[in-house]
Amino acid sequence: MSTQTFTTNQYTTGPSRTRRWVLAVVAAVAVAVVALALALGLWNAGSTSIVSGWFPVFLFWVTVAVCLIAVVIRRDVLKEFAIGIPIGIIFVVLLFVGLHLTQAIPTDAPRSLYVWLCVACLLAGLVLAGWHRAHWPRRIAGLAAVVLTVVSAGSAVNQKFVYYPTFDRLFGQNANHFLDNAELTSLRKQVAKTGRLPDHGATLSVPIPGTNLRFTPRPAFVWVPPAWFGRNEPQLPVIELLHGTPGDPSDWTRASYADATALAFAEQHNGVAPILVMPDINGSFSADSECVDSAAYGDVETYLTKTVPEFMQKKFNAKTTPGSIAIAGLSEGGLCATMLALRHPKEYPAFANFSGDASPTYQYVGKQQTIQVLFGGSAADYNAHNPPYLLTQQHFAGMAGWFEAGAQDSGSVQAAQTLQGLASKAGIDTCIATPPGAHNFDFWTRAFQDSLPWLSWKLKLTPEPQSVPARCVPGKS
């Protein structure tokens, strides 16, 4: 009888301890959720940074805690590890082979991304190994651990590139004062009636079709300053802003706050600033056209240099006469801005290159593969789109170029220094800056802030800035 009682007590103790562990998991997750909700309620949720401050630290420790608990409460640890770890390793191999084949991760992605992805795969293996014997609370704990590790992997990438700086940007706010056509028309009527300019600009998502160009672009973003709404309908010059890859037109306002930068500049000049147009340069998030006309992507160069300016003149009354458009870009877009300005100097009197390469480079591959994919194997066509070659073969009197790269972005700094030296010798007035910064949207926000007064001056819209945060030299005659 005593033996029977002892066995029963042993049997009931195990599940009791398991239940306590499960309750601890549930309690920990509940506390984490409540703490996050309170934090977001006390601090403005929309403006809460998710790349710095308390949130990345909070996410890290919550993820670590849930992962440890999910492992500790395994019912049969040795058996589940013996089955789950090999399954997890298979998941790791399949994941990284897939990522390599699709080139879905940039070459400079943080190491922590790979660590979190490996942990997620191993945890997924453990969850599968013990799934059929586990109660639902234990299953939920395992799934929560997998989800949190994947979220932490994404957070690691986001912290490096600052693609979504805040919660509101993560959850769909792509710009400040985002209007549709009806709201834009209403605002124009209000200004026509009162004569009072709005205290803000407006950002719109606008389709700019690539008709007959074998290129299907995503909708562009356009920002107009307060002065654009004036009764006299002023013709304002344009700055064409080019995104990078992976990316899309919204990068400029969602992550680099170009609309906020332009509005702050306009407020210093009675509402006057250049119109910003942010066209698509690739056709999809991960494509890489390098802004050239090619069999692979269609007539992207023609679209950017002809279709977009004509659309801006027709739909936004923009000033697009020769010398009234500047072009600027970040990363791939920086190379594009330099190349397109050199190939179309009459249209673009000024350009700005933020962290761009010196030469066209397709998807992180070498020169020969770039020539093959984008230029049909023609080295001559490649040279005709290669800034260092163009700068040594031609003279560009009357043109101005701005080069800026973060000091911690060594490859971009080297490209900026190379291009600035060649451009100066080719007669281009140049400015170069290499302040602290990396290859991310936080830096590109600053780069646009640095160069906008200079670009506006070069477009003859506003006076010459008293000083610029760059070293500027006249081009050699």
Side-chain angles (χ1 to χ4, degrees):
M1 186 69 178
S2 59
T3 304
Q4 180 65 36
T5 303
F6 177 77
T7 304
T8 303
N9 288 340
Q10 254 194 340
Y11 178 78
T12 57
T13 300
S16 177
R17 289 176 178 174
T18 299
R19 282 195 293 271
R20 285 198 294 268
W21 273 111
V22 172
L23 288 174
V25 175
V26 175
V29 173
V31 169
V33 172
V34 170
L36 179 60
L38 288 174
L40 295 180
L42 293 174
W43 293 283
N44 185 348
S47 62
T48 300
S49 173
I50 56 177
V51 296
S52 62
W54 67 269
F55 178 77
V57 178
F58 174 82
L59 176 63
F60 173 82
W61 286 112
V62 168
T63 303
V64 170
V66 173
C67 288
L68 289 175
I69 293 171
V71 171
V72 168
I73 65 172
R74 296 290 94 200
R75 185 169 184 176
D76 190 341
V77 175
L78 293 179
K79 184 175 181 179
E80 292 184 13
F81 268 64
I83 299 174
I85 295 301
I87 294 176
I89 293 173
I90 293 173
F91 285 164
V92 170
V93 173
L94 292 176
L95 175 64
F96 284 97
V97 168
L99 292 175
H100 174 72
L101 292 176
T102 59
Q103 296 181 325
I105 297 180
T107 55
D108 53 350
R111 293 179 180 178
S112 54
L113 165 68
Y114 302 101
V115 173
W116 283 122
L117 289 178
C118 288
V119 173
C121 290
L122 294 175
L123 283 170
L126 289 176
V127 171
L128 286 178
W131 185 266
H132 71 287
R133 301 181 63 195
H135 298 296
W136 274 108
R138 188 183 290 115
R139 293 174 180 175
I140 292 172
L143 291 175
V146 173
V147 170
L148 282 170
T149 51
V150 173
V151 170
S152 293
S155 178
V157 176
N158 193 47
Q159 288 176 62
K160 181 176 179 63
F161 296 108
V162 199
Y163 200 73
Y164 296 105
T166 60
F167 276 105
D168 57 1
R169 303 294 160 154
L170 176 64
F171 293 119
Q173 182 180 347
N174 288 324
N176 300 327
H177 307 295
F178 202 96
L179 305 182
D180 58 28
N181 287 330
E183 292 169 328
L184 185 72
T185 301
S186 176
L187 185 55
R188 296 207 71 169
K189 289 180 179 179
Q190 180 182 342
V191 173
K193 182 179 180 180
T194 64
R196 181 181 301 174
L197 294 178
D199 59 1
H200 59 80
T203 303
L204 300 91
S205 177
V206 182
I208 305 180
T211 307
N212 300 324
L213 296 179
R214 299 179 296 109
F215 176 57
T216 305
R218 292 165 292 179
F221 273 32
V222 174
W223 179 85
V224 292
W228 182 82
F229 294 91
R231 286 174 171 174
N232 59 344
E233 298 185 4
Q235 276 200 318
L236 297 171
V238 174
I239 299 178
E240 204 169 337
L241 296 176
L242 310 181
H243 61 84
T245 184
D248 61 54
S250 69
D251 291 354
W252 273 106
T253 54
R254 186 202 65 258
S256 284
Y257 298 99
D259 53 338
T261 296
L263 177 59
F265 178 76
E267 288 172 343
Q268 300 172 5
H269 297 88
N270 300 314
V272 173
I275 297 172
L276 307 181
V277 58
M278 297 150 268
D280 183 22
I281 70 172
N282 287 323
S284 66
F285 185 72
S286 59
D288 185 8
S289 75
E290 298 293 295
C291 302
V292 303
D293 291 348
S294 68
Y297 291 102
D299 301 325
V300 180
E301 179 177 356
T302 302
Y303 174 76
L304 295 173
T305 59
K306 302 297 181 185
T307 305
V308 171
E310 290 172 1
F311 179 91
M312 293 305 297
Q313 193 282 324
K314 182 178 180 180
K315 298 295 184 180
F316 290 89
N317 193 37
K319 187 178 181 181
T320 57
T321 54
S324 298
I325 306 179
I327 191 166
L330 58 85
S331 193
E332 175 202 3
L335 174 277
C336 289
T338 305
M339 180 269 292
L340 294 175
L342 296 179
R343 285 177 54 81
H344 305 271
K346 291 183 179 180
E347 285 78 11
Y348 303 109
F351 65 90
N353 182 332
F354 309 137
S355 311
D357 288 337
S359 302
T361 305
Y362 175 74
Q363 296 286 17
Y364 310 105
V365 300
K367 176 180 176 180
Q368 291 305 315
Q369 193 169 350
T370 297
I371 292 174
Q372 188 62 42
V373 174
L374 295 180
F375 301 98
S378 171
D381 196 16
Y382 170 83
N383 286 335
H385 293 81
N386 186 17
Y389 181 87
L390 294 171
L391 290 168
T392 57
Q393 299 298 312
Q394 301 178 43
H395 197 73
F396 298 89
M399 180 178 282
W402 181 288
F403 302 92
E404 188 160 356
Q408 285 69 50
D409 185 7
S410 59
S412 296
V413 169
Q414 182 178 356
Q417 292 172 340
T418 298
L419 289 174
Q420 185 272 332
L422 293 173
S424 182
K425 292 179 181 178
I428 299 174
D429 297 338
T430 59
C431 294
I432 185 169
T434 57
H439 200 85
N440 62 31
F441 288 95
D442 193 32
F443 174 76
W444 296 322
T445 299
R446 173 177 178 172
F448 185 57
Q449 291 172 346
D450 291 344
S451 61
L452 177 57
W454 181 88
L455 288 168
S456 182
W457 167 52
K458 290 298 180 180
L459 290 172
K460 299 181 173 59
L461 180 64
T462 52
E464 179 180 2
Q466 294 182 354
S467 65
V468 294
R471 178 176 63 85
C472 298
V473 296
K476 297 181 180 180
S477 57

